Amino acid sequence: MTAPATPAYRRLSVEERRTQLLDAALGLFAHRAPEDVSLDDVAAAAGVSRPLVYRYFSGGKQQLYEDALRSAADELELCFTEPPVGPPTERLGRVLDRYLAFVDQHDTGFSALLRGGSVCETSRTTAIVDEVRRAAAGQILLHLGTDGTRGTDGTSGTDGTRGTDGTSGTDGAGGTDTHAPAVPGARLRMLVRTWIAAVESASLIWLDEEKRPPADELRDWLVDHLIALLVVTAATDEETAAAVGALVAYEHPDGPVGALARRVLPLVNAAAHLP
């Protein structure tokens, strides 16, 4: 009887080996605080020797951690990238589904990263985290400032913002916007950054509470939170009011905005007698 052939050994390329080591490190950092992971742990997880890890990461554990963090940050940034198609709150729900799945998969590492205080924390790691926050805020602002239905098909097309010359973001003739998107104002930027901070805090509390409530309930609550922030800010800020008007125009009656309005309306009516 012929013995089964032994699989031929294949030497990994430099990039393949580096990716292998980063993947091993990410798996460890996801569930242990950075200071609790050693190069020996990474080598064992990758099935290689400690000197080989040093060959690819001559800066030792700190370089490995920063490179692994950069890789995780790139993955997290992708969570916030969503095509501008469909009702804005549905897009936001898909973004949050991906984000919460990332948090779930990197629980301990995510907590250590956002809470800070790790011996591996440096200005470079802080800059990487801040970059993710800026990217997330930019994506949310993009969806708030885009109408999402007017383009080359000739349908509606205001982006809900003002053009750089102070005019509205539409050409007024039902065509495409001829102005560059305006830079979001201070109130709208603050609103989105406040919401991003709330999402981070809620994620950390969710992990502390053993991932309760279920992720889908947390997602819906965070969507409602952004809607509420938008409505409150719109009461005193014209730019936000325009963004809310554009958002509502693309929502379905049974979507998150309509559902929240129906739940909140009785409370508002109850306060109608107040001066």
Side-chain angles (χ1 to χ4, degrees):
M1 183 175 179
T2 305
T6 302
Y9 172 78
R10 185 176 73 87
R11 183 183 296 275
L12 298 180
S13 68
V14 171
E15 189 57 34
E16 287 173 331
R17 180 65 74 185
R18 187 175 186 279
T19 299
Q20 178 202 26
L21 295 174
L22 279 177
D23 287 345
L26 279 169
L28 294 170
F29 289 134
H31 303 295
R32 290 157 62 179
E35 54 267 31
D36 295 333
V37 177
S38 68
L39 287 183
D40 287 331
D41 294 329
V42 176
V48 300
S49 65
R50 178 189 175 98
L52 183 63
V53 178
Y54 263 114
R55 183 187 305 173
Y56 285 84
F57 299 95
S58 57
K61 175 180 169 179
Q62 186 64 39
Q63 182 192 353
L64 180 58
Y65 175 66
E66 291 178 8
D67 287 359
L69 178 59
R70 174 73 272 169
S71 178
D74 290 343
E75 180 185 346
L76 186 53
E77 283 188 29
L78 288 176
C79 292
F80 290 93
T81 304
E82 177 71 23
V85 177
T89 54
E90 289 185 7
R91 304 177 213 162
L92 183 60
R94 291 190 290 270
V95 165
L96 287 170
D97 280 339
R98 292 192 294 269
Y99 171 80
L100 292 173
F102 179 93
V103 173
D104 185 29
Q105 294 165 7
H106 300 80
D107 45 17
T108 303
F110 182 86
S111 296
L113 173 64
L114 292 187
R115 286 196 169 103
S118 167
V119 296
C120 293
E121 184 178 359
T122 66
S123 60
R124 291 187 296 275
T125 61
T126 300
I128 291 172
V129 176
D130 286 342
E131 181 183 325
V132 174
R133 292 179 177 128
R134 286 193 299 271
Q139 285 294 315
I140 299 302
L141 286 166
L142 177 65
H143 290 288
L144 291 177
T146 301
D147 186 22
T149 60
R150 169 159 56 186
T152 56
D153 61 358
T155 56
S156 161
T158 178
D159 62 0
T161 63
R162 297 177 182 249
T164 54
D165 61 357
T167 61
S168 67
T170 173
D171 63 5
T176 56
D177 186 356
T178 58
H179 301 291
V183 175
R187 290 281 189 90
L188 193 54
R189 292 198 309 273
M190 182 179 294
L191 180 158
V192 171
R193 291 177 62 186
T194 298
W195 184 74
I196 295 292
V199 170
E200 287 186 7
S201 296
S203 302
L204 292 172
I205 295 169
W206 184 60
L207 293 176
D208 285 344
E209 295 291 333
E210 298 180 348
K211 300 176 183 176
R212 296 191 302 263
D216 58 342
E217 291 183 20
L218 177 58
R219 173 204 62 211
D220 292 345
W221 182 76
L222 290 171
V223 170
D224 286 349
H225 189 182
L226 181 57
I227 295 170
L229 281 173
L230 283 165
V231 171
V232 169
T233 307
T236 56
D237 182 65
E238 291 184 2
E239 181 190 20
T240 306
V244 170
L247 183 152
V248 171
Y250 297 112
E251 291 294 317
H252 299 309
D254 57 349
V257 174
L260 181 61
R262 287 189 291 273
R263 294 197 304 270
V264 171
L265 194 56
L267 300 176
V268 175
N269 290 336
H273 67 284
L274 298 176

